[in-house]
Amino acid sequence: MDKSKPLGVYLVTGFLGSGKTTLLKQIATSHPDRKIMFLVNELAERDVDGGRLAGVSGFPVQAIVGGSLFCECVAADFLQAIQREVLPRHRDNGLDALVIETSGMSDPGAIGTLIAQSGLTPFLEVCQVITVVPTPRAASLLQNLPVANEQVRLAGVVVLSKADLATEDQKILAVETVRATNPSCRLHWADHGCVDDDILQGHRHQDLKDSLSTCDDNPFTAWVLECPAKCSRELFCQWLDHLPHGVLRVKGELDLDQERVAVDWTPDAWDLQETPAAGEPGLIAIVHDDDGDLLVHLAGSLRELER
């Protein structure tokens, strides 16, 4: 890698629970010979995805929390992470790529504006926007959520994730919907979290100069839920099975039957994986602002699981 050239940036975007972090883990594990640094963005004030990714990445994973990456309120945090962590490592090690995972409601069109306004144009070059779309919900998301539609429209690569959970009709509809929004993107399938090809290739020149958003533009709320000190796996699984409509995402860690467990819940499916304990447990729940009362309900119902 030529350290004198701008560092190539691959922006991984996609709506909440689409499978972005799973994709990043595959990128990290399938390219052990490449010097790839990761930067992850969390809407909540607590980092979850960065900690999980750090275990498989050869380089430290930087996290920007407390808002969307392309919001004016966290732009300074992005600049600080680039100047203090990413660019020094590029000078010292000659990084091959910087992979940035945005929060689920980010408009990728502002990445060029953020780089330009931060004075980073000589140092960073956006190579590709990679958008992850869950196959079972692709049509619904693109038809009902403008931000999901914009994420696909600006993508050079679209990864149709969770193909193993979709019917053949859903797969056909997903392709048709994506193609209607972006006829020229490269399509990849992700089955059980595995992408069918190397997506860190190719270069799509785009004019990504949308305006940065403001905090008022974000219609979603993320809460860190206090976890019960003692809880059984059986009760917690029942809690996950009965999450009310309107909950968009639940993720984090908690202790079940004296074992630390990583939690990953989306409307498509949920999963629990044993994980080493690192810090205090906590769950992040995300809802639309119109469903804000759900967060109080979730916090109360979770506390009731204490045994």
Side-chain angles (χ1 to χ4, degrees), residues 29 110-111 131 139 154 165 175 210-211 226 231 250 272 302:
T29 55
I111 181 66
T131 299
L154 294 175
L165 301 179
V175 172
D210 289 353
S211 299
E226 182 179 347
C231 180
V250 175
L272 302 178
L302 189 59

Side-chain angles (χ1 to χ4, degrees), residues 149-170:
N149 196 279
E150 191 69 0
Q151 290 167 348
V152 169
R153 187 183 71 82
L154 294 175
V157 174
V158 171
V159 175
L160 286 167
S161 64
K162 306 183 182 181
D164 51 295
L165 301 179
T167 65
E168 288 303 314
D169 286 344
Q170 287 174 329

Side-chain angles (χ1 to χ4, degrees), residues 135-136 139 166-177 189:
T135 306
T167 65
E168 288 303 314
D169 286 344
Q170 287 174 329
K171 292 178 182 179
I172 293 171
L173 185 57
V175 172
E176 291 176 347
T177 308
W189 293 101

Side-chain angles (χ1 to χ4, degrees), residues 102-138:
T102 70
S103 68
M105 57 288 302
S106 293
D107 175 359
I111 181 66
T113 302
L114 182 57
I115 289 174
Q117 290 185 357
S118 302
L120 296 172
T121 304
F123 309 104
L124 300 177
E125 180 183 17
V126 180
C127 295
Q128 199 72 266
V129 174
I130 302 166
T131 299
V132 186
V133 181
T135 306
R137 292 185 291 139

Side-chain angles (χ1 to χ4, degrees), residues 233 236-237 240 254 256 261-264 270-274:
R233 180 182 290 261
F236 185 69
C237 289
L240 291 177
L254 81 165
L256 298 178
V261 175
V263 181
D264 188 358
W270 57 262
D271 185 45
L272 302 178
Q273 295 286 340
E274 292 184 18

Side-chain angles (χ1 to χ4, degrees), residues 256-270:
L256 298 178
D257 297 328
Q258 300 181 341
E259 293 180 336
R260 180 61 56 89
V261 175
V263 181
D264 188 358
W265 182 95
T266 73
D268 302 309
W270 57 262

